[in-house]
Amino acid sequence: MKIGVLAVQGDFAEHIAVLRRLNVECQEVRLPEQLEGIDGLIVPGGESTTLSRLMSIYHLREPVAAMAKAGKAVWGTCAGMIMLAHEITEADPVPLQLMDIGVQRNAFGRQIDSFEQDLEIHELDGLEPAGLEPGLFHAIFIRAPVVIRVGDSVKTLAMLPNGKAVAVQQGNLMATSFHPELTNDNRLHQYFLNLAASPAADPGPGQGTDPATEPVTGQ
Amino acid sequence: MVDVLTGTFTVKSGHAQMLKGGVIMDVVNAEQAMIAAEAGAVAVMALERVPADIRADGGVARMTDPAIIQGIMDAVSIPVMAKCRIGHFVEAQVLEAIGIDYIDESEVLTPADEVHHVWKHDFQVPFVCGCRDLGEALRRISEGAAMIRTKGEAGTGDVVEAVRHMRAVQDAIRKLQNMPEDELVVEARNLGVSLELLQETREQGRLPVVNFAAGGVATPADAALMMQLGADGVFVGSGIFKSGDPAQRGYAIVQAVTHYKDPKILADVSKDLGEPMVGISARSIPQEELLAPRSI
């Protein structure tokens, strides 16, 4: 299994460090040809306006969208969630429109409002965090976005006590508002690797939709 | 049942981790901030004057008028940083009160305290500080800095001091990694840092926080040079808005930082950028006018 990590800007090295701990081969992706031969892609945290521009200049939008449509696993964290959204609350950046979600950028305010909080994520039950006690997932939110519209075929994996969705899945696609790559807890990465290993076998969102035939908006 | 923690070192240093591989640009008004954001900056530094003008004007350089900073914060959705004088914890309190995303405790402004830096652990907002070597970097981290940058020599357009400082940090870390464990106590004492922090640096083989290059970066090749020397990202001060075509140059430097290992792309983005900032050789500046030695 080989996982690509979009490396145009952001904390891609932190994602790669987690994947290496899980003995997964990694590929830094800055150009379209670096998408070849990978089984899944992580769009890391960073500045979404910067990611958006660099993806456009180096023609990464279409091949990443094609990958997602072909059923390969794609996961966006924070800025990556913004990039995977169908729509966001501002005109800039331009998202990839891969998941049927609406996302608000900087939803909690400025850096001073960044926070850490434990979340319940039942889909992680049974996955063992290496060296840690199973239980709540310690989530780190940095100038984080939230999902303000969850499409019918999208499953909410985690929400804040106020009901806002901060981790979502639509078949082979995942998005989290927070940064698992800044913790020692590898369970969400393991969950993503399971998706990447068997995208077709994945039960998908709620009613067992086949991700291969799932409508993917945009392109 | 659920604790919400704000202002932790994790969220402060974590913000710097999101800036990695990016360019932070100095701007003096909302219009420049929008040009910077459009060019792909990961953040902007809100200033009254860029370092080249501070250098030319002389006098006392202080924190920027909060109204100017707020104008810039309102104009862009990317993070906004601002500078306080070294040791001026009240300027830092003011910047925190207006909701700035990051404070640069900077030698570019006239120091307010020649002995003490701001005790940055007291703040919810994260700080970035300059360094010339590993000891300075780790002392700033001990005081609570969540991000480090080289000092370089700001406002010159001459990259030589930034190179010197980045190499000094990297060389010292390599030396540390080869040092027998029983020599670490003396090394910690020599650097004026705790043994614990020194051991952490040795174990990670890098600074424990994000380390950007700053002070004299003026071209895409300068930016890529600093990245190849081990910088996590780049601050560009006077180099963009003192050049002939700031939008084009900013855009080129953003691409150079992403593709810093790809000389073909570097060649492409370096073409037709117009006039770079004029610059002054750091070596020609009298010792007493250098900014970098203003704190240790």
Side-chain angles (χ1 to χ4, degrees):
Chain A
M1 163 119 61
K2 188 166 161 188
I3 299 296
V5 182
L6 188 74
V8 295
Q9 192 271 319
D11 73 333
F12 52 89
E14 285 76 354
H15 274 290
I16 289 170
V18 180
L19 294 171
R20 293 224 168 107
R21 287 206 297 274
L22 293 167
N23 295 316
V24 175
E25 197 185 341
C26 302
Q27 168 72 51
E28 291 185 2
V29 176
R30 292 181 177 81
L31 296 169
E33 55 265 34
Q34 292 160 341
L35 290 164
E36 278 164 32
I38 60 174
D39 302 294
L41 179 74
I42 296 178
V43 182
E47 184 48 52
S48 54
T49 54
T50 307
L51 296 183
S52 171
R53 276 159 191 63
L54 287 161
M55 288 192 82
S56 297
I57 304 168
Y58 292 95
H59 309 291
L60 285 158
R61 286 176 176 273
E62 296 76 13
V64 168
M67 237 188 100
K69 207 173 184 183
K72 288 195 179 169
V74 182
W75 176 20
T77 58
C78 194
M81 168 188 267
I82 296 167
M83 290 309 297
L84 264 53
H86 177 265
E87 78 273 356
I88 61 168
T89 45
E90 301 160 45
D92 188 27
V94 180
L96 295 165
Q97 302 194 315
L98 302 181
M99 294 182 76
D100 189 15
I101 54 174
V103 170
Q104 183 184 357
R105 276 178 84 207
N106 300 332
F108 301 94
R110 305 198 69 98
Q111 167 60 18
I112 206 157
D113 306 300
S114 292
F115 62 101
E116 303 177 45
Q117 184 170 355
D118 288 336
L119 299 176
E120 284 182 32
I121 309 181
H122 294 298
E123 277 72 12
L124 299 181
D125 292 351
L127 293 176
E128 295 285 325
L132 299 170
E133 290 293 320
L136 298 173
F137 195 94
H138 189 67
I140 298 164
F141 295 84
I142 296 172
R143 284 175 54 98
V146 291
V147 182
I148 53 171
R149 186 186 64 78
V150 181
D152 291 341
S153 58
V154 176
K155 178 165 67 174
T156 298
L157 301 177
M159 59 175 89
L160 292 173
N162 65 10
K164 284 183 176 166
V166 290
V168 291
Q169 180 188 348
Q170 182 178 9
N172 53 315
L173 308 173
M174 262 171 80
T176 53
S177 303
F178 50 94
H179 295 283
E181 74 279 12
L182 298 186
T183 71
N184 293 318
D185 191 335
N186 54 30
R187 283 177 297 168
L188 270 167
H189 284 80
Q190 188 59 60
Y191 185 78
F192 172 71
L193 292 175
N194 293 348
L195 277 188
S198 54
D202 179 75
Q207 304 79 25
T209 321
D210 178 359
T213 59
E214 206 169 87
V216 178
T217 44
Q219 305 318 313
Chain B
M1 136 203 162
V2 183
D3 286 336
V4 178
L5 306 170
T6 59
T8 60
F9 196 73
T10 300
V11 298
K12 292 182 191 176
S13 58
H15 185 192
Q17 286 171 280
M18 300 312 137
L19 302 174
K20 285 167 74 175
V23 181
I24 300 167
M25 302 184 191
D26 279 5
V27 298
V28 299
N29 54 42
E31 189 195 350
Q32 287 188 356
M34 286 188 280
I35 292 170
E38 191 56 44
V42 289
V44 290
M45 179 75 71
L47 296 169
E48 232 164 66
R49 295 174 288 173
V50 294
D53 290 334
I54 290 174
R55 188 178 281 288
D57 295 351
V60 176
R62 309 178 180 91
M63 174 186 78
T64 299
D65 183 332
I68 295 179
I69 299 172
Q70 275 180 319
I72 290 168
M73 288 166 60
D74 292 342
V76 292
S77 64
I78 60 176
V80 179
M81 301 183 167
K83 292 184 195 288
C84 75
R85 283 180 266 177
I86 287 172
H88 206 317
F89 51 87
V90 174
E91 284 187 349
Q93 289 165 5
V94 169
L95 292 172
E96 181 171 69
I98 65 172
I100 202 79
D101 293 301
Y102 237 94
I103 297 175
D104 182 5
E105 186 184 19
S106 176
E107 71 286 356
V108 170
L109 304 184
T110 311
D113 189 325
E114 294 189 335
V115 181
H116 304 285
H117 281 72
V118 173
W119 183 249
K120 294 166 273 285
H121 292 290
D122 281 350
F123 289 80
Q124 294 265 310
V125 61
F127 281 73
V128 54
C129 287
C131 77
R132 288 173 295 171
D133 53 39
L134 181 61
E136 267 189 60
L138 295 182
R139 289 194 293 278
R140 297 296 87 78
I141 294 167
S142 306
E143 296 155 1
M147 177 179 182
I148 292 293
R149 58 172 172 77
T150 61
K151 286 178 168 174
E153 189 57 31
T156 60
D158 185 350
V159 80
V160 66
E161 293 301 310
V163 167
R164 189 192 315 281
H165 301 159
M166 186 57 70
R167 280 199 186 273
V169 170
Q170 305 292 48
D171 286 349
I173 292 172
R174 281 189 287 270
K175 184 178 145 208
L176 200 58
Q177 288 181 291
N178 291 318
M179 193 175 280
E181 199 152 15
D182 59 358
E183 292 182 9
L184 289 178
V185 173
V186 172
E187 182 71 359
R189 196 174 62 209
N190 290 342
L191 295 178
V193 303
S194 74
L195 177 63
E196 205 181 16
L197 190 52
L198 200 66
Q199 281 170 326
E200 191 186 342
T201 306
R202 184 176 192 249
E203 216 164 277
Q204 292 188 23
R206 56 157 295 141
L207 287 182
V209 301
V210 166
N211 182 22
F212 268 45
V217 175
T219 68
D222 286 351
L225 172 67
M226 297 313 301
M227 293 298 289
Q228 288 199 25
L229 286 171
D232 292 318
V234 174
F235 283 88
V236 187
S238 321
I240 290 175
F241 286 99
K242 283 287 170 188
S243 75
D245 187 346
Q248 190 62 24
R249 184 165 294 264
Y251 195 52
I253 293 176
V254 166
Q255 294 176 60
V257 168
T258 295
H259 297 285
Y260 68 95
K261 287 183 285 194
D262 191 330
K264 274 189 183 154
I265 291 180
L266 295 175
D268 280 344
V269 303
S270 298
K271 287 174 187 163
D272 302 321
L273 293 183
E275 286 291 303
M277 74 178 280
V278 175
I280 38 173
S281 155
R283 198 173 266 281
S284 70
I285 301 172
Q287 185 64 29
E288 64 276 14
E289 289 177 22
L290 290 171
L291 302 176
R294 279 175 158 182
S295 70
I296 56 171

mmCIF file of all heavy atoms in Angstrom, chain B residues 14-42:
data_model
loop_
_atom_site.group_PDB
_atom_site.id
_atom_site.type_symbol
_atom_site.label_atom_id
_atom_site.label_comp_id
_atom_site.label_asym_id
_atom_site.label_seq_id
_atom_site.Cartn_x
_atom_site.Cartn_y
_atom_site.Cartn_z
ATOM 1 N N GLY B 14 1.214 24.243 16.978
ATOM 2 C CA GLY B 14 0.484 23.581 15.893
ATOM 3 C C GLY B 14 0.118 24.563 14.784
ATOM 4 O O GLY B 14 0.135 24.209 13.600
ATOM 5 N N HIS B 15 -0.209 25.786 15.157
ATOM 6 C CA HIS B 15 -0.513 26.782 14.124
ATOM 7 C C HIS B 15 0.699 26.991 13.218
ATOM 8 O O HIS B 15 0.571 27.035 11.993
ATOM 9 C CB HIS B 15 -0.948 28.106 14.762
ATOM 10 C CG HIS B 15 -1.389 29.128 13.761
ATOM 11 N ND1 HIS B 15 -1.587 30.441 14.085
ATOM 12 C CD2 HIS B 15 -1.654 29.022 12.440
ATOM 13 C CE1 HIS B 15 -1.951 31.103 12.993
ATOM 14 N NE2 HIS B 15 -2.005 30.263 11.989
ATOM 15 N N ALA B 16 1.879 27.081 13.833
ATOM 16 C CA ALA B 16 3.103 27.242 13.021
ATOM 17 C C ALA B 16 3.292 26.051 12.087
ATOM 18 O O ALA B 16 3.756 26.211 10.943
ATOM 19 C CB ALA B 16 4.316 27.417 13.926
ATOM 20 N N GLN B 17 2.897 24.858 12.556
ATOM 21 C CA GLN B 17 3.041 23.669 11.700
ATOM 22 C C GLN B 17 2.174 23.773 10.442
ATOM 23 O O GLN B 17 2.534 23.271 9.390
ATOM 24 C CB GLN B 17 2.709 22.404 12.491
ATOM 25 C CG GLN B 17 3.814 22.044 13.474
ATOM 26 C CD GLN B 17 3.430 20.928 14.419
ATOM 27 O OE1 GLN B 17 2.733 21.139 15.412
ATOM 28 N NE2 GLN B 17 3.883 19.725 14.133
ATOM 29 N N MET B 18 1.034 24.472 10.562
ATOM 30 C CA MET B 18 0.165 24.655 9.387
ATOM 31 C C MET B 18 0.751 25.661 8.387
ATOM 32 O O MET B 18 0.350 25.708 7.231
ATOM 33 C CB MET B 18 -1.233 25.128 9.805
ATOM 34 C CG MET B 18 -1.940 24.162 10.723
ATOM 35 S SD MET B 18 -1.859 22.469 10.132
ATOM 36 C CE MET B 18 -1.494 21.605 11.652
ATOM 37 N N LEU B 19 1.701 26.480 8.854
ATOM 38 C CA LEU B 19 2.307 27.479 7.964
ATOM 39 C C LEU B 19 3.472 26.897 7.176
ATOM 40 O O LEU B 19 3.984 27.523 6.243
ATOM 41 C CB LEU B 19 2.808 28.671 8.795
ATOM 42 C CG LEU B 19 1.767 29.387 9.656
ATOM 43 C CD1 LEU B 19 2.444 30.438 10.530
ATOM 44 C CD2 LEU B 19 0.707 30.045 8.781
ATOM 45 N N LYS B 20 3.895 25.681 7.536
ATOM 46 C CA LYS B 20 5.089 25.085 6.914
ATOM 47 C C LYS B 20 4.955 25.021 5.390
ATOM 48 O O LYS B 20 3.873 24.832 4.863
ATOM 49 C CB LYS B 20 5.325 23.679 7.474
ATOM 50 C CG LYS B 20 5.890 23.713 8.891
ATOM 51 C CD LYS B 20 5.829 22.363 9.555
ATOM 52 C CE LYS B 20 6.866 21.390 9.018
ATOM 53 N NZ LYS B 20 6.827 20.126 9.802
ATOM 54 N N GLY B 21 6.118 25.180 4.749
ATOM 55 C CA GLY B 21 6.113 25.141 3.291
ATOM 56 C C GLY B 21 5.465 26.364 2.691
ATOM 57 O O GLY B 21 5.109 26.370 1.511
ATOM 58 N N GLY B 22 5.323 27.420 3.500
ATOM 59 C CA GLY B 22 4.638 28.613 3.028
ATOM 60 C C GLY B 22 5.488 29.868 3.152
ATOM 61 O O GLY B 22 6.586 29.844 3.701
ATOM 62 N N VAL B 23 4.921 30.950 2.622
ATOM 63 C CA VAL B 23 5.597 32.245 2.624
ATOM 64 C C VAL B 23 4.753 33.234 3.425
ATOM 65 O O VAL B 23 3.545 33.363 3.193
ATOM 66 C CB VAL B 23 5.772 32.776 1.187
ATOM 67 C CG1 VAL B 23 6.512 34.112 1.195
ATOM 68 C CG2 VAL B 23 6.522 31.755 0.331
ATOM 69 N N ILE B 24 5.387 33.926 4.362
ATOM 70 C CA ILE B 24 4.728 34.965 5.164
ATOM 71 C C ILE B 24 5.265 36.311 4.672
ATOM 72 O O ILE B 24 6.483 36.512 4.617
ATOM 73 C CB ILE B 24 5.001 34.754 6.660
ATOM 74 C CG1 ILE B 24 4.470 33.376 7.094
ATOM 75 C CG2 ILE B 24 4.368 35.876 7.488
ATOM 76 C CD1 ILE B 24 4.932 32.918 8.456
ATOM 77 N N MET B 25 4.365 37.178 4.271
ATOM 78 C CA MET B 25 4.787 38.415 3.604
ATOM 79 C C MET B 25 4.507 39.646 4.461
ATOM 80 O O MET B 25 3.428 39.781 5.036
ATOM 81 C CB MET B 25 4.044 38.555 2.267
ATOM 82 C CG MET B 25 4.266 37.382 1.314
ATOM 83 S SD MET B 25 3.465 37.660 -0.290
ATOM 84 C CE MET B 25 3.619 36.009 -1.027
ATOM 85 N N ASP B 26 5.465 40.567 4.504
ATOM 86 C CA ASP B 26 5.290 41.862 5.176
ATOM 87 C C ASP B 26 4.381 42.747 4.338
ATOM 88 O O ASP B 26 4.600 42.897 3.127
ATOM 89 C CB ASP B 26 6.635 42.589 5.311
ATOM 90 C CG ASP B 26 7.459 42.094 6.482
ATOM 91 O OD1 ASP B 26 7.043 41.119 7.142
ATOM 92 O OD2 ASP B 26 8.522 42.685 6.736
ATOM 93 N N VAL B 27 3.387 43.368 4.991
ATOM 94 C CA VAL B 27 2.490 44.292 4.292
ATOM 95 C C VAL B 27 2.242 45.512 5.184
ATOM 96 O O VAL B 27 2.298 45.409 6.408
ATOM 97 C CB VAL B 27 1.137 43.621 3.932
ATOM 98 C CG1 VAL B 27 1.353 42.442 2.999
ATOM 99 C CG2 VAL B 27 0.382 43.165 5.181
ATOM 100 N N VAL B 28 1.951 46.651 4.567
ATOM 101 C CA VAL B 28 1.735 47.866 5.365
ATOM 102 C C VAL B 28 0.309 48.408 5.256
ATOM 103 O O VAL B 28 -0.026 49.395 5.910
ATOM 104 C CB VAL B 28 2.737 48.986 4.991
ATOM 105 C CG1 VAL B 28 4.168 48.528 5.249
ATOM 106 C CG2 VAL B 28 2.562 49.432 3.552
ATOM 107 N N ASN B 29 -0.532 47.786 4.434
ATOM 108 C CA ASN B 29 -1.927 48.228 4.353
ATOM 109 C C ASN B 29 -2.795 47.102 3.792
ATOM 110 O O ASN B 29 -2.288 46.046 3.389
ATOM 111 C CB ASN B 29 -2.067 49.493 3.492
ATOM 112 C CG ASN B 29 -1.460 49.303 2.110
ATOM 113 O OD1 ASN B 29 -1.629 48.263 1.482
ATOM 114 N ND2 ASN B 29 -0.733 50.317 1.627
ATOM 115 N N ALA B 30 -4.108 47.336 3.785
ATOM 116 C CA ALA B 30 -5.062 46.302 3.372
ATOM 117 C C ALA B 30 -4.848 45.903 1.905
ATOM 118 O O ALA B 30 -4.966 44.732 1.550
ATOM 119 C CB ALA B 30 -6.485 46.804 3.584
ATOM 120 N N GLU B 31 -4.513 46.894 1.079
ATOM 121 C CA GLU B 31 -4.325 46.604 -0.348
ATOM 122 C C GLU B 31 -3.162 45.631 -0.570
ATOM 123 O O GLU B 31 -3.281 44.652 -1.317
ATOM 124 C CB GLU B 31 -4.080 47.929 -1.072
ATOM 125 C CG GLU B 31 -4.078 47.810 -2.569
ATOM 126 C CD GLU B 31 -3.471 49.038 -3.252
ATOM 127 O OE1 GLU B 31 -3.238 50.053 -2.564
ATOM 128 O OE2 GLU B 31 -3.217 48.951 -4.464
ATOM 129 N N GLN B 32 -2.053 45.897 0.121
ATOM 130 C CA GLN B 32 -0.907 44.977 0.013
ATOM 131 C C GLN B 32 -1.266 43.613 0.586
ATOM 132 O O GLN B 32 -0.847 42.580 0.050
ATOM 133 C CB GLN B 32 0.305 45.547 0.752
ATOM 134 C CG GLN B 32 0.956 46.724 0.048
ATOM 135 C CD GLN B 32 2.265 47.149 0.698
ATOM 136 O OE1 GLN B 32 2.669 46.605 1.730
ATOM 137 N NE2 GLN B 32 2.924 48.130 0.099
ATOM 138 N N ALA B 33 -2.038 43.586 1.667
ATOM 139 C CA ALA B 33 -2.428 42.312 2.279
ATOM 140 C C ALA B 33 -3.226 41.469 1.287
ATOM 141 O O ALA B 33 -3.042 40.253 1.183
ATOM 142 C CB ALA B 33 -3.235 42.559 3.550
ATOM 143 N N MET B 34 -4.106 42.140 0.533
ATOM 144 C CA MET B 34 -4.914 41.401 -0.451
ATOM 145 C C MET B 34 -4.051 40.884 -1.599
ATOM 146 O O MET B 34 -4.260 39.769 -2.087
ATOM 147 C CB MET B 34 -6.058 42.279 -0.948
ATOM 148 C CG MET B 34 -7.146 42.419 0.119
ATOM 149 S SD MET B 34 -8.644 43.258 -0.447
ATOM 150 C CE MET B 34 -8.153 44.953 -0.353
ATOM 151 N N ILE B 35 -3.058 41.685 -2.003
ATOM 152 C CA ILE B 35 -2.133 41.221 -3.050
ATOM 153 C C ILE B 35 -1.359 40.000 -2.546
ATOM 154 O O ILE B 35 -1.193 39.002 -3.262
ATOM 155 C CB ILE B 35 -1.159 42.354 -3.454
ATOM 156 C CG1 ILE B 35 -1.916 43.468 -4.180
ATOM 157 C CG2 ILE B 35 -0.023 41.817 -4.328
ATOM 158 C CD1 ILE B 35 -1.104 44.734 -4.421
ATOM 159 N N ALA B 36 -0.935 40.048 -1.278
ATOM 160 C CA ALA B 36 -0.176 38.934 -0.690
ATOM 161 C C ALA B 36 -1.032 37.671 -0.636
ATOM 162 O O ALA B 36 -0.583 36.581 -1.010
ATOM 163 C CB ALA B 36 0.314 39.312 0.704
ATOM 164 N N ALA B 37 -2.286 37.809 -0.182
ATOM 165 C CA ALA B 37 -3.175 36.654 -0.078
ATOM 166 C C ALA B 37 -3.439 36.065 -1.465
ATOM 167 O O ALA B 37 -3.438 34.850 -1.664
ATOM 168 C CB ALA B 37 -4.485 37.048 0.603
ATOM 169 N N GLU B 38 -3.645 36.958 -2.431
ATOM 170 C CA GLU B 38 -3.896 36.520 -3.803
ATOM 171 C C GLU B 38 -2.686 35.770 -4.369
ATOM 172 O O GLU B 38 -2.822 34.820 -5.138
ATOM 173 C CB GLU B 38 -4.232 37.748 -4.670
ATOM 174 C CG GLU B 38 -4.768 37.448 -6.043
ATOM 175 C CD GLU B 38 -6.009 36.555 -6.016
ATOM 176 O OE1 GLU B 38 -6.887 36.807 -5.185
ATOM 177 O OE2 GLU B 38 -6.057 35.602 -6.822
ATOM 178 N N ALA B 39 -1.492 36.205 -3.962
ATOM 179 C CA ALA B 39 -0.260 35.559 -4.442
ATOM 180 C C ALA B 39 -0.019 34.210 -3.770
ATOM 181 O O ALA B 39 0.877 33.467 -4.169
ATOM 182 C CB ALA B 39 0.930 36.482 -4.204
ATOM 183 N N GLY B 40 -0.817 33.892 -2.718
ATOM 184 C CA GLY B 40 -0.677 32.582 -2.073
ATOM 185 C C GLY B 40 0.091 32.609 -0.760
ATOM 186 O O GLY B 40 0.536 31.557 -0.290
ATOM 187 N N ALA B 41 0.248 33.782 -0.144
ATOM 188 C CA ALA B 41 0.896 33.847 1.174
ATOM 189 C C ALA B 41 0.102 33.016 2.177
ATOM 190 O O ALA B 41 -1.121 32.980 2.109
ATOM 191 C CB ALA B 41 0.972 35.297 1.649
ATOM 192 N N VAL B 42 0.802 32.357 3.125
ATOM 193 C CA VAL B 42 0.098 31.603 4.170
ATOM 194 C C VAL B 42 -0.284 32.506 5.332
ATOM 195 O O VAL B 42 -1.102 32.139 6.180
ATOM 196 C CB VAL B 42 0.917 30.416 4.713
ATOM 197 C CG1 VAL B 42 1.013 29.316 3.679
ATOM 198 C CG2 VAL B 42 2.297 30.845 5.201
#
